Amino acid sequence: MIVEDDHLVSEMIRGMVEELGYEIAGEAEDGHDALGIIKEVKPDVVLLDIKMPRMSGIEAAILIQKHFPTPIVILSAYETEDLVKEASEAGVGAYVVKPPQPAELFRAIEIACCRFEDMVELGDIRMKYEQAMKTIGSLAKLLPVCPGCGEEKRDEDYSSKLNMFLSSIPVEEISRYLCIRCGKRNDSG
Amino acid sequence: MKHIVDSAPQFEGIDSAGIYLLDSSCGDFVLECHAGLPEWLIDSFSRLTPGSGMHEILYCEENVYPDSSEECSFRFEGSPNVFIKGLFPLIPGETFSSVMFIASSEPEALPLEIRGIMEMLLSMVKASISRIDVENNASLREKEHSLLLETVRDPIFALGDNLEMKYCNGAFRQLVCFEEGANAAAGFPDIAGLELNNLLREKFDEVLDSDNGLRSLTFEYRERIFYTIISRTPDGLFALMNDITEAEQARKKLNFRDRFENVLISISTDFIKMRGSALNLGINDALLNIGVSIEVDRAYLFQFSDELKIMNNTHEWCATNVQPQIDNHQGLRTDDYPWWMNRLNRHWVFQIPRISDLPSWAEAERKLFESREIQSLLVVPIVHGNNLIGFLGFDSVNQEKYWSEDIIDLLRVIGDAIGNALVRNGMEKKLIKMYRRAEKEAQINAVLLKEVNHRVKNNLSEIIGILYAQMRFASNNNDHDDFVQSLISRIRGLATVHDMLSSSGWNPLELTSLARRIIDSAIAYAPNSKKLKASISKTSIRVNPNQAHALALILNELVRNSLKHALTDRDSLKIKVRMRKRRAGRITLVYSDNGPGYPEEVLEFGRKNLGLDLIQNLTIKNLQGELTLQNDGGASAKIVFRRTLTEDGKNESK
């Protein structure tokens, strides 16, 4: 998808992108319009200008990553360090100075897509990690020995807490918690 | 004599003194009287026999001051050693009959001031000897006495216990205008007059009452300055009036030069590091020092401005009780003071010892000076290179005054130094101003350079965009020449607006000029056989660079469209561009020609060519405006957009 307020520049991007074998999913003239169109067309990658009326490319990038995570390539005639830093912090995958070489634009698109995939993967890992930490916390509470005095826990609701935890384990994960005999039985069953 | 010798060690630098008299019977020098000498010296050297060494020193004319013994220093060897610092013959003409010496325990040469003191003491001794001779040797002839007294150039007199005049020399008589032969034994006031009596009387009493019987004082009498020593004698007072007028004047002159040199050094060195208010303080301080040194009542600095048409009093110093005039001397027109300026323009230093002596054509100047109660004044022009930049002025208000060439020469040097400081300060101010301006321009240029860089990149992107767009539309049109012509025309349109924007420093552009330039540029390539006329309404509307850029491309396409379609079957074409301000910052631009008009399919935006595609998309995307195509006596395109003067902000196009 192309987000560019200068018609002739968007013609350049369109021509170049099509030459590289991509399809144009949609076009927008500023960041504000872009958000509406992205929701609709769900592009694989967004080529975003920075200086645009109503909403700048950086603002749009932040909102796109928040609401419709998508690989983003910035295409701008400006190349100050500050802008590059801002773009990076906004979750932009690559930054290309206009007018780009087609190969340069291709690399930027590919890198942005890879970086986005990495980011998604990282997000998944982080989610799993957080879930695992949560589970460890729950299990620690269910240990039958008091970590303070080493005495066996005998409080009344201990067995009900244990049952509650076991019942909360998803079916697909239940095998992790079975004993060897039950595990074998489960495998054969 | 003993009394005089006793008084010698009271002066700094003299430890001891003595007088040797020649015993004519045996040729020995006998220590007649002494003060402060160690016992061993008195015992061993009370009598100097010929061949004893010291005898020869005393007897050698070369060693006797003041003839050639300025550096004389001889030694009495003993414990402690005594260094003779000066040998003084008591009676001229009888050089080797009596010698007074002064000595100290340090071997330095005779200091200058001690010599002066010694001369006075010596005069006193001479007079004392004369008196003793008169008293003890009645047979000494009157003529000899007179001759002896006359050898002393300074006025000398001796008084009795009741202050009656016992004797006085010719110098004294001349000073007080006392007729020889008049009542010589009259009282001091009768002979010396009341003025001198009043000056000395108090000291006479002090000397008579004091323990050491010695007093000195300096006073001015009959335009001369006297350093007078009054000494008590067994039967009254003895006084020597040393005329130090020349010495005093020389000292004053030296002080004056010292002070001036300090001012000069201060101006030449301190002024170099002075800036702004520090320089002003420095100039004020210099005026004070000069004013005090040359004893004027007002010292001031004027500086010229406006090509010597105006003069302003910038600095002033006034003596106590003298009215400052600086506030009255601002913005004076030099034309009003022709006599004054005539001299200054020739770079003359001039003085007016008496204001009333000014010539008739200096009437304006005379009136001004009289209104300021100025009696005399001195003016020193301040010149740098060959340019008159100001002048130093010195007023005498309380008395008429004449300044010597010495003073004028020094003031001229000071004027030059102040001139240099002023010019340097002015140049530095200019340099700082230029530096700041250059710095600001450099900052602006840096921003402009970034902008140029951005614009060039954007233009290149647009050229590539045009090429892609033409390629896209070229499938319907295989005319290669037309392809190239279209491309040239479009790139030229880009170049024209880029040129206009870079000339204006990427500031808002006037819409009329923009339209005129683009249309003129576009129709210049029409065939010569065709008559083309463009009418563009005048307006003060300005649009920001991005909008100007888009409008230029749109107008370029509209003119291309007219030339391509409206001129085919005609020899002439009229193009009109009308621009108008609407409410809420909206602008309407109507482009029309008197050709056959748009085909129907174009009016419905059904058929598209690249030109129309560009006009439509540039209006909608770049201008965020609306496009209406209609036929109204020809093809007419109406573009409505909202004007934004700044490129930044939410309503900015790029």
Side-chain angles (χ1 to χ4, degrees), chain B residues 118-165:
Chain B
M118 279 310 300
E119 280 178 22
M120 282 187 284
L121 289 174
L122 226 50
S123 299
M124 292 164 73
V125 173
K126 287 175 200 168
S128 183
I129 290 169
S130 157
R131 184 171 62 83
I132 294 160
D133 285 348
V134 172
E135 285 170 356
N136 295 346
N137 190 355
S139 64
L140 202 62
R141 284 170 299 178
E142 191 68 27
K143 194 179 170 185
E144 286 173 334
H145 296 164
S146 301
L147 275 173
L148 192 61
L149 285 168
E150 291 311 317
T151 60
V152 182
R153 280 169 296 181
D154 289 326
I156 292 172
F157 60 88
L159 304 178
D161 285 336
N162 297 321
L163 303 184
E164 73 283 8
M165 182 66 78

Side-chain angles (χ1 to χ4, degrees), chain B residues 31 74 211-212 254 267 321 324 386 424 514-515 595 598 606 622 633:
Chain B
L31 187 60
F74 307 104
D211 293 335
N212 64 1
L254 203 66
I267 292 170
N321 299 329
N386 202 29
R424 185 184 45 74
L514 175 77
Y598 295 114
N622 292 42

Side-chain angles (χ1 to χ4, degrees), chain A residues 4-19 27 29-30 49 51-56 59 76-80 97-100 102, chain B residues 450-451 453-455 457-458 460-462 464-466 468-469 471-473 494 549 553 610 613-614 617-618 620-622 624 648-654:
Chain A
E4 169 65 61
D5 63 320
D6 186 321
H7 172 63
L8 286 176
V9 178
S10 71
E11 284 283 8
M12 173 197 73
I13 301 167
R14 165 189 281 273
M16 220 171 262
V17 165
E18 283 176 347
E19 231 174 40
E27 279 189 63
E29 287 140 34
D30 59 46
D49 185 18
K51 298 262 175 167
M52 290 184 293
R54 295 210 287 179
M55 186 186 287
S56 78
E59 288 170 320
S76 175
Y78 294 99
E79 51 180 328
T80 63
V97 178
K98 290 180 204 167
Chain B
K450 275 187 187 171
E451 190 59 26
N453 195 24
H454 163 246
R455 297 277 169 189
K457 285 176 187 166
N458 223 49
L460 291 171
S461 302
E462 287 188 335
I464 299 170
I466 288 171
Y468 274 117
M471 275 166 62
R472 193 147 55 87
F473 282 86
L494 274 176
H549 185 83
L553 297 178
L610 177 56
D613 183 74
L614 286 176
N617 279 307
L618 287 166
I620 294 167
K621 289 186 180 176
N622 292 42
Q624 295 177 295
D648 207 358
K650 295 297 175 189
N651 56 356
E652 174 241 34
S653 28
K654 186 170 53 179

Side-chain angles (χ1 to χ4, degrees), chain B residues 156-444:
Chain B
I156 292 172
F157 60 88
L159 304 178
D161 285 336
N162 297 321
L163 303 184
E164 73 283 8
M165 182 66 78
K166 295 188 77 172
Y167 58 85
C168 58
N169 67 354
F172 182 79
R173 283 197 300 277
Q174 194 181 354
L175 179 69
V176 300
C177 305
F178 178 67
E179 294 287 336
E180 212 168 346
N183 184 7
F188 181 76
D190 299 328
I191 294 171
L194 277 176
E195 187 188 349
L196 190 57
N197 183 60
N198 290 340
L199 286 166
L200 292 173
R201 183 60 194 253
E202 197 181 331
K203 288 286 172 191
F204 290 159
D205 294 340
E206 277 181 29
V207 171
L208 291 171
D209 294 341
S210 69
D211 293 335
N212 64 1
L214 192 70
R215 284 290 184 277
S216 63
L217 78 159
T218 303
F219 59 87
E220 205 172 325
Y221 176 68
R222 299 204 167 170
E223 295 181 351
R224 309 293 295 172
I225 300 162
F226 294 99
Y227 175 68
T228 300
I229 294 178
I230 305 165
S231 166
R232 191 170 61 212
T233 59
D235 51 359
L237 294 169
F238 174 81
L240 166 75
M241 293 168 66
N242 186 22
D243 188 345
I244 57 167
T245 310
E246 277 76 23
E248 197 63 16
Q249 281 170 349
R251 189 181 62 78
K252 270 189 182 172
K253 212 168 179 178
L254 203 66
N255 282 348
F256 170 76
R257 285 199 84 93
D258 269 358
R259 190 187 278 262
F260 253 72
E261 275 167 12
N262 285 338
V263 173
L264 260 176
I265 289 167
S266 156
I267 292 170
S268 315
T269 54
D270 297 353
F271 277 28
I272 291 170
K273 20 181 202 198
M274 284 180 185
R275 308 262 186 290
S277 56
L279 179 63
N280 289 333
L281 285 174
I283 292 173
N284 284 336
D285 193 44
L287 289 176
L288 181 150
N289 279 319
I290 300 165
V292 170
S293 302
I294 64 172
E295 295 172 349
V296 293
D297 300 310
R298 200 182 287 125
Y300 46 86
L301 168 68
F302 270 73
Q303 290 183 63
F304 292 109
S305 61
D306 203 11
E307 294 178 341
L308 292 183
K309 284 182 187 153
I310 301 290
M311 53 184 172
N312 292 301
N313 187 183
T314 54
H315 302 78
E316 183 187 48
W317 166 83
C318 290
T320 318
N321 299 329
V322 173
Q323 195 69 27
Q325 296 295 343
I326 190 164
D327 292 339
N328 301 326
H329 291 166
Q330 296 303 317
L332 299 184
R333 290 170 51 83
T334 52
D335 287 350
D336 294 340
Y337 305 98
W339 180 86
W340 184 268
M341 289 309 295
N342 179 274
R343 269 148 183 74
L344 283 175
N345 278 327
R346 294 173 191 201
H347 303 171
W348 286 356
V349 176
F350 59 97
Q351 59 176 309
I352 309 166
R354 189 180 294 129
I355 297 302
S356 56
D357 290 345
L358 279 169
S360 56
W361 68 295
E363 184 65 15
E365 287 85 345
R366 191 177 59 76
K367 277 185 182 165
L368 180 75
F369 303 150
E370 282 175 355
S371 72
R372 310 294 188 243
E373 297 178 333
I374 298 168
Q375 299 210 38
S376 307
L377 64 85
L378 170 66
V379 180
V380 180
I382 295 178
V383 179
H384 188 263
N386 202 29
N387 299 322
L388 178 69
I389 58 171
F391 61 87
L392 287 171
F394 304 96
D395 295 349
S396 178
V397 174
N398 294 321
Q399 58 177 334
E400 286 181 354
K401 207 168 171 67
Y402 182 83
W403 290 272
S404 68
E405 280 301 315
D406 280 1
I407 290 176
I408 289 173
D409 284 346
L410 285 167
L411 288 175
R412 208 193 299 264
V413 177
I414 287 175
D416 287 348
I418 289 180
N420 286 336
L422 286 173
V423 170
R424 185 184 45 74
N425 196 50
M427 302 265 276
E428 275 180 5
K429 273 185 188 169
K430 268 186 194 168
L431 270 175
I432 289 168
K433 211 172 167 183
M434 281 167 66
Y435 174 75
R436 285 190 181 142
R437 196 189 298 155
E439 207 173 39
K440 206 174 171 184
E441 278 173 6
Q443 283 172 353
I444 292 169

